[in-house]
Amino acid sequence: MSSRQLLSDESIARLLLEEEENNSPSENLSDSETEDNVEVDDVESDYQPVRSDSSSSSDEDIQVPLSQAEEDNGLVQNTPSIPSQQSSCILTFSQSSLRSRARHVWATTKGRTSGRTAAINIVHVARGPARELKAIVDPLELFEHFMTDRMLEEIVKWTNAEIRIKKQNYEKYTSTQNDTSKEEIRALLGVMVLTAALKDNHLTLDELFNTEYSGTRYLACMSKERCDFLLRCLRFDDKAFRLQLLKEDPFTPIRNIWEMLMTQCRQNYVPGTNVTVDEQLLAFRGRCKFRMYIPNKPAKYGIKLEMMCDSGTRYMINSIPYLGKSTNTGGLPLGEYFVKELTHSIHGSNRNVTMDNWFTSVPLAKKLLQQPHKLTLVGTLRANNRG
């Protein structure tokens, strides 16, 4: 019988270390997985059979891994063991379908899909500028496709009418009180756009036209007195008929020019496969009947606009102002009314519309699938929604 060879202390320590490394399940995980205490991905495959609510006894011994912040706060000692069925981010049910209060049936499992794209999701156009705008590289020429000559003529017409009224308050006329023209209105709009691009729109006119603050960029266009006078006289409609229309439409003072601008926005761009419908609060603290107060918005006070934008380029395709109780929805819910009106230019195009829970509803999703809309919907539902 051969003599046995004794192992040294170093050999024994090395063998024990190798045994611990082979038995440790977390050594094969990446650094990010060990830092997040994620050990096993318990999310089931889409095609696995749904497990029932009753789990085996072995599942009850599995505890949910806690974050480092929870361990530091001493929550590990007080946290009971939770079954892995509840720790998953995906809820599973024993039944194959659920029925809401509105009798709408929801499937609890994802259905099998083929590799082919459904006909309702096929779009035959490419995203980008309209055909007549693709070759334009001059920014000024491109701007003229949005602020057209017809729009400028309307602004000049009613602004000059207001200038003639304001002139009666002056004893002596100067160049400041002269009638305006399309070129000057275009220059005024350019000054306003430039202040927004340079983040100067929060400055007063004294600061904008002071060479020490803003240089000569604004002063080279027009004087401070002329700019102030034009802004006070700027009008977009006939004041003689405004009072008759304001009762039905509070947006009357700018409705005509606004509709022209939205028409140009729709005609100058071809949206992609996916569009988004959402709201934006434009900061405004002046006098306005439909000015909104939303405390969770950064501006808090402003005019609320419902918009449809391209999901890829963030281009605004269409927009409707929210007029509060004065909004005439024709008997439709507010969310459904705005979605149908905003998406009117893309009806029948098989595009997808994404929206939040203020707009989303099950009846709206069903109606959009039908003619003449032919649109699909992706959105979240509120917990108290009947659907």
Side-chain angles (χ1 to χ4, degrees):
M1 183 177 181
S2 60
S3 60
R4 296 181 179 179
Q5 184 177 1
L6 299 178
L7 296 177
S8 62
D9 295 339
E10 297 179 357
S11 300
I12 294 175
R14 178 170 52 80
L15 291 174
L16 292 176
L17 183 62
E18 291 177 357
E19 184 178 1
E20 290 178 359
E21 292 177 352
N22 293 331
N23 294 332
S24 176
S26 61
E27 289 296 328
N28 296 327
L29 299 176
S30 62
D31 295 338
S32 61
E33 290 174 328
T34 55
E35 290 174 1
D36 296 337
N37 295 329
V38 178
E39 296 182 0
V40 180
D41 186 6
D42 58 351
V43 178
E44 297 182 353
S45 170
D46 293 335
Y47 303 108
Q48 279 185 325
V50 181
R51 294 184 300 177
S52 62
D53 294 339
S54 61
S55 58
S56 61
S57 60
S58 61
D59 291 336
E60 298 178 357
D61 298 331
I62 301 176
Q63 296 185 358
V64 178
L66 300 176
S67 63
Q68 188 66 32
E70 292 173 332
E71 293 179 0
D72 295 341
N73 294 332
L75 298 178
V76 178
Q77 300 176 359
N78 300 328
T79 305
S81 61
I82 303 175
S84 62
Q85 180 75 13
Q86 299 178 6
S87 66
S88 174
C89 295
I90 299 179
L91 299 178
T92 56
F93 304 91
S94 58
Q95 60 270 35
S96 61
S97 62
L98 297 175
R99 192 180 297 273
S100 67
R101 289 179 298 173
R103 315 305 295 171
H104 180 75
V105 179
W106 295 90
T108 58
T109 57
K110 181 180 178 181
R112 295 180 178 271
T113 58
S114 61
R116 299 180 61 182
T117 304
I120 192 62
N121 297 121
I122 298 177
V123 181
H124 299 282
V125 293
R127 172 198 296 126
R131 181 177 300 178
E132 58 271 15
L133 271 69
K134 288 184 177 180
I136 298 178
V137 295
D138 183 16
L140 183 59
E141 185 179 356
L142 184 63
F143 181 74
E144 292 175 351
H145 280 79
F146 291 89
M147 293 300 298
T148 60
D149 289 340
R150 181 186 171 194
M151 297 168 63
L152 293 175
E153 289 172 358
E154 280 287 307
I155 298 175
V156 169
K157 176 182 177 181
W158 304 121
T159 301
N160 284 334
E162 183 67 18
I163 288 176
R164 287 189 288 270
I165 297 175
K166 296 282 187 184
K167 274 185 179 182
Q168 300 175 6
N169 299 328
Y170 292 87
E171 296 180 357
K172 211 178 187 185
Y173 298 153
T174 63
S175 59
T176 303
Q177 290 84 35
N178 288 338
D179 288 353
T180 186
S181 61
K182 289 196 301 183
E183 289 73 18
E184 192 174 32
I185 292 297
R186 189 181 287 112
L188 180 65
L189 295 176
V191 169
M192 297 296 102
V193 172
L194 185 60
T195 57
L198 299 179
K199 306 297 182 183
D200 291 341
N201 48 356
H202 64 286
L203 300 177
T204 63
L205 285 179
D206 292 333
E207 293 171 332
L208 286 177
F209 288 87
N210 191 329
T211 56
E212 295 181 0
Y213 283 96
S214 307
T216 60
R217 64 175 69 95
Y218 304 114
L219 195 59
C221 185
M222 63 180 64
S223 65
K224 184 196 76 171
E225 292 76 13
R226 180 61 173 172
C227 182
D228 181 47
F229 183 76
L230 287 177
L231 289 177
R232 293 176 184 274
C233 298
L234 196 63
R235 296 293 182 272
F236 305 94
D237 71 320
D238 188 359
K239 292 178 62 175
F241 298 98
R242 182 186 297 177
L243 294 177
Q244 302 175 5
L245 302 175
L246 275 176
K247 297 179 182 179
E248 299 179 358
D249 185 12
F251 204 60
T252 296
I254 198 175
R255 172 68 70 183
N256 192 22
I257 298 297
W258 178 264
E259 294 297 337
M260 292 182 187
L261 179 61
M262 291 301 104
T263 300
Q264 294 304 120
C265 290
R266 293 190 295 266
Q267 292 180 354
N268 293 337
Y269 186 82
V270 180
T273 306
N274 301 296
V275 298
T276 302
V277 172
D278 207 346
E279 62 186 31
Q280 181 178 1
L281 186 71
L282 298 182
F284 180 71
R285 287 181 174 267
R287 292 182 300 175
C288 183
K289 292 183 178 179
F290 49 90
R291 188 187 65 178
M292 303 292 296
Y293 171 70
I294 305 179
N296 59 349
K297 297 287 185 181
K300 291 184 174 57
Y301 288 93
I303 298 176
K304 182 179 172 183
L305 296 179
E306 314 296 339
M307 294 184 178
M308 181 181 70
C309 301
D310 190 288
S311 301
T313 61
R314 302 177 181 88
Y315 176 89
M316 187 190 72
I317 306 166
N318 197 4
S319 179
I320 300 175
Y322 178 65
L323 306 178
K325 296 180 179 179
S326 301
T327 304
N328 184 14
T329 63
L332 296 175
L334 270 176
E336 182 177 341
Y337 166 77
F338 281 120
V339 170
K340 289 184 176 180
E341 289 295 320
L342 290 171
T343 60
H344 190 270
S345 60
I346 61 171
H347 283 176
S349 62
N350 296 344
R351 288 181 171 88
N352 179 75
V353 186
T354 304
M355 60 195 71
D356 63 5
N357 55 24
W358 193 79
F359 301 93
T360 310
S361 66
V362 174
L364 175 61
K366 292 181 177 179
K367 292 177 183 178
L368 289 183
L369 285 174
Q370 303 171 0
Q371 291 285 1
H373 307 99
K374 293 196 66 178
L375 300 171
T376 57
L377 183 151
V378 172
T380 56
L381 279 175
R382 294 179 178 178
N384 58 355
N385 192 294
R386 287 180 55 84

